[in-house]
mmCIF file of all heavy atoms in Angstrom:
data_model
loop_
_atom_site.group_PDB
_atom_site.id
_atom_site.type_symbol
_atom_site.label_atom_id
_atom_site.label_comp_id
_atom_site.label_asym_id
_atom_site.label_seq_id
_atom_site.Cartn_x
_atom_site.Cartn_y
_atom_site.Cartn_z
ATOM 1 N N VAL A 1253 -50.191 -31.372 17.662
ATOM 2 C CA VAL A 1253 -48.984 -32.190 17.749
ATOM 3 C C VAL A 1253 -47.767 -31.279 17.616
ATOM 4 O O VAL A 1253 -47.659 -30.537 16.633
ATOM 5 C CB VAL A 1253 -48.961 -33.265 16.650
ATOM 6 C CG1 VAL A 1253 -47.675 -34.089 16.711
ATOM 7 C CG2 VAL A 1253 -50.191 -34.174 16.762
ATOM 8 N N PRO A 1254 -46.828 -31.307 18.568
ATOM 9 C CA PRO A 1254 -45.652 -30.439 18.481
ATOM 10 C C PRO A 1254 -44.742 -30.805 17.311
ATOM 11 O O PRO A 1254 -44.419 -31.979 17.108
ATOM 12 C CB PRO A 1254 -44.928 -30.680 19.817
ATOM 13 C CG PRO A 1254 -45.950 -31.282 20.720
ATOM 14 C CD PRO A 1254 -46.862 -32.064 19.838
ATOM 15 N N LEU A 1255 -44.359 -29.801 16.559
ATOM 16 C CA LEU A 1255 -43.360 -29.920 15.496
ATOM 17 C C LEU A 1255 -42.228 -28.969 15.896
ATOM 18 O O LEU A 1255 -42.318 -27.767 15.679
ATOM 19 C CB LEU A 1255 -43.967 -29.549 14.147
ATOM 20 C CG LEU A 1255 -43.043 -29.334 12.947
ATOM 21 C CD1 LEU A 1255 -42.132 -30.527 12.732
ATOM 22 C CD2 LEU A 1255 -43.866 -29.042 11.694
ATOM 23 N N ILE A 1256 -41.170 -29.510 16.509
ATOM 24 C CA ILE A 1256 -40.166 -28.701 17.188
ATOM 25 C C ILE A 1256 -38.932 -28.500 16.307
ATOM 26 O O ILE A 1256 -38.284 -29.467 15.914
ATOM 27 C CB ILE A 1256 -39.724 -29.369 18.500
ATOM 28 C CG1 ILE A 1256 -40.931 -29.757 19.353
ATOM 29 C CG2 ILE A 1256 -38.781 -28.453 19.274
ATOM 30 C CD1 ILE A 1256 -40.586 -30.628 20.561
ATOM 31 N N ALA A 1257 -38.622 -27.247 16.032
ATOM 32 C CA ALA A 1257 -37.334 -26.915 15.424
ATOM 33 C C ALA A 1257 -36.336 -26.806 16.578
ATOM 34 O O ALA A 1257 -36.227 -25.771 17.228
ATOM 35 C CB ALA A 1257 -37.416 -25.611 14.650
ATOM 36 N N TRP A 1258 -35.641 -27.908 16.858
ATOM 37 C CA TRP A 1258 -34.707 -27.998 17.982
ATOM 38 C C TRP A 1258 -33.315 -27.722 17.447
ATOM 39 O O TRP A 1258 -32.743 -28.536 16.739
ATOM 40 C CB TRP A 1258 -34.820 -29.375 18.611
ATOM 41 C CG TRP A 1258 -34.015 -29.583 19.859
ATOM 42 C CD1 TRP A 1258 -33.618 -28.655 20.766
ATOM 43 C CD2 TRP A 1258 -33.528 -30.844 20.335
ATOM 44 N NE1 TRP A 1258 -32.908 -29.242 21.784
ATOM 45 C CE2 TRP A 1258 -32.852 -30.589 21.552
ATOM 46 C CE3 TRP A 1258 -33.615 -32.158 19.871
ATOM 47 C CZ2 TRP A 1258 -32.244 -31.612 22.285
ATOM 48 C CZ3 TRP A 1258 -33.020 -33.171 20.604
ATOM 49 C CH2 TRP A 1258 -32.341 -32.898 21.798
ATOM 50 N N THR A 1259 -32.787 -26.545 17.742
ATOM 51 C CA THR A 1259 -31.548 -26.116 17.099
ATOM 52 C C THR A 1259 -30.369 -26.106 18.062
ATOM 53 O O THR A 1259 -30.499 -25.721 19.225
ATOM 54 C CB THR A 1259 -31.705 -24.707 16.497
ATOM 55 O OG1 THR A 1259 -32.000 -23.776 17.546
ATOM 56 C CG2 THR A 1259 -32.816 -24.676 15.470
ATOM 57 N N TRP A 1260 -29.200 -26.499 17.549
ATOM 58 C CA TRP A 1260 -27.977 -26.522 18.338
ATOM 59 C C TRP A 1260 -27.290 -25.172 18.179
ATOM 60 O O TRP A 1260 -26.334 -25.010 17.448
ATOM 61 C CB TRP A 1260 -27.074 -27.668 17.893
ATOM 62 C CG TRP A 1260 -25.965 -27.922 18.867
ATOM 63 C CD1 TRP A 1260 -24.633 -27.734 18.659
ATOM 64 C CD2 TRP A 1260 -26.103 -28.394 20.211
ATOM 65 N NE1 TRP A 1260 -23.928 -28.069 19.784
ATOM 66 C CE2 TRP A 1260 -24.802 -28.472 20.768
ATOM 67 C CE3 TRP A 1260 -27.193 -28.748 21.002
ATOM 68 C CZ2 TRP A 1260 -24.570 -28.897 22.075
ATOM 69 C CZ3 TRP A 1260 -26.954 -29.177 22.305
ATOM 70 C CH2 TRP A 1260 -25.663 -29.235 22.825
ATOM 71 N N MET A 1261 -27.827 -24.180 18.905
ATOM 72 C CA MET A 1261 -27.294 -22.832 18.802
ATOM 73 C C MET A 1261 -27.696 -22.004 20.009
ATOM 74 O O MET A 1261 -28.659 -22.319 20.709
ATOM 75 C CB MET A 1261 -27.790 -22.143 17.528
ATOM 76 C CG MET A 1261 -29.299 -22.051 17.421
ATOM 77 S SD MET A 1261 -29.848 -21.179 15.938
ATOM 78 C CE MET A 1261 -29.953 -19.520 16.595
ATOM 79 N N GLU A 1262 -26.944 -20.954 20.233
ATOM 80 C CA GLU A 1262 -27.259 -19.933 21.238
ATOM 81 C C GLU A 1262 -28.070 -18.839 20.558
ATOM 82 O O GLU A 1262 -27.782 -18.434 19.437
ATOM 83 C CB GLU A 1262 -25.954 -19.367 21.812
ATOM 84 C CG GLU A 1262 -26.022 -17.943 22.337
ATOM 85 C CD GLU A 1262 -26.711 -17.813 23.689
ATOM 86 O OE1 GLU A 1262 -26.594 -18.739 24.478
ATOM 87 O OE2 GLU A 1262 -27.341 -16.774 23.919
ATOM 88 N N TYR A 1263 -29.111 -18.392 21.228
ATOM 89 C CA TYR A 1263 -29.922 -17.299 20.693
ATOM 90 C C TYR A 1263 -30.029 -16.209 21.758
ATOM 91 O O TYR A 1263 -30.295 -16.498 22.925
ATOM 92 C CB TYR A 1263 -31.326 -17.811 20.321
ATOM 93 C CG TYR A 1263 -32.202 -16.743 19.742
ATOM 94 C CD1 TYR A 1263 -32.151 -16.436 18.390
ATOM 95 C CD2 TYR A 1263 -33.076 -16.008 20.559
ATOM 96 C CE1 TYR A 1263 -32.959 -15.432 17.865
ATOM 97 C CE2 TYR A 1263 -33.866 -15.011 20.035
ATOM 98 C CZ TYR A 1263 -33.810 -14.727 18.686
ATOM 99 O OH TYR A 1263 -34.595 -13.742 18.173
ATOM 100 N N PRO A 1264 -29.785 -14.958 21.373
ATOM 101 C CA PRO A 1264 -29.513 -14.456 20.020
ATOM 102 C C PRO A 1264 -28.029 -14.349 19.667
ATOM 103 O O PRO A 1264 -27.704 -14.056 18.518
ATOM 104 C CB PRO A 1264 -30.137 -13.069 20.057
ATOM 105 C CG PRO A 1264 -29.928 -12.623 21.467
ATOM 106 C CD PRO A 1264 -30.055 -13.846 22.327
ATOM 107 N N ASP A 1265 -27.133 -14.568 20.605
ATOM 108 C CA ASP A 1265 -25.709 -14.437 20.321
ATOM 109 C C ASP A 1265 -25.187 -15.737 19.735
ATOM 110 O O ASP A 1265 -24.558 -16.555 20.425
ATOM 111 C CB ASP A 1265 -24.947 -14.069 21.605
ATOM 112 C CG ASP A 1265 -23.488 -13.728 21.347
ATOM 113 O OD1 ASP A 1265 -23.062 -13.758 20.170
ATOM 114 O OD2 ASP A 1265 -22.775 -13.432 22.327
ATOM 115 N N GLN A 1266 -25.438 -15.944 18.445
ATOM 116 C CA GLN A 1266 -25.142 -17.225 17.824
ATOM 117 C C GLN A 1266 -23.654 -17.571 17.829
ATOM 118 O O GLN A 1266 -23.274 -18.743 17.787
ATOM 119 C CB GLN A 1266 -25.685 -17.236 16.391
ATOM 120 C CG GLN A 1266 -27.194 -17.091 16.335
ATOM 121 C CD GLN A 1266 -27.727 -17.085 14.910
ATOM 122 O OE1 GLN A 1266 -26.984 -17.271 13.954
ATOM 123 N NE2 GLN A 1266 -29.016 -16.847 14.767
ATOM 124 N N GLY A 1267 -22.816 -16.553 17.890
ATOM 125 C CA GLY A 1267 -21.382 -16.794 17.904
ATOM 126 C C GLY A 1267 -20.911 -17.549 19.127
ATOM 127 O O GLY A 1267 -19.791 -18.084 19.141
ATOM 128 N N ARG A 1268 -21.728 -17.601 20.157
ATOM 129 C CA ARG A 1268 -21.392 -18.310 21.385
ATOM 130 C C ARG A 1268 -21.949 -19.739 21.407
ATOM 131 O O ARG A 1268 -21.874 -20.418 22.441
ATOM 132 C CB ARG A 1268 -21.924 -17.538 22.593
ATOM 133 C CG ARG A 1268 -21.293 -16.169 22.774
ATOM 134 C CD ARG A 1268 -22.013 -15.375 23.864
ATOM 135 N NE ARG A 1268 -22.029 -16.084 25.135
ATOM 136 C CZ ARG A 1268 -21.074 -16.019 26.060
ATOM 137 N NH1 ARG A 1268 -20.009 -15.257 25.833
ATOM 138 N NH2 ARG A 1268 -21.171 -16.683 27.194
#
Side-chain angles (χ1 to χ4, degrees):
V1253 178
L1255 168 54
I1256 309 170
W1258 185 27
T1259 61
W1260 193 247
M1261 58 178 268
E1262 153 76 33
Y1263 181 85
D1265 188 1
Q1266 297 179 4
R1268 296 172 57 88

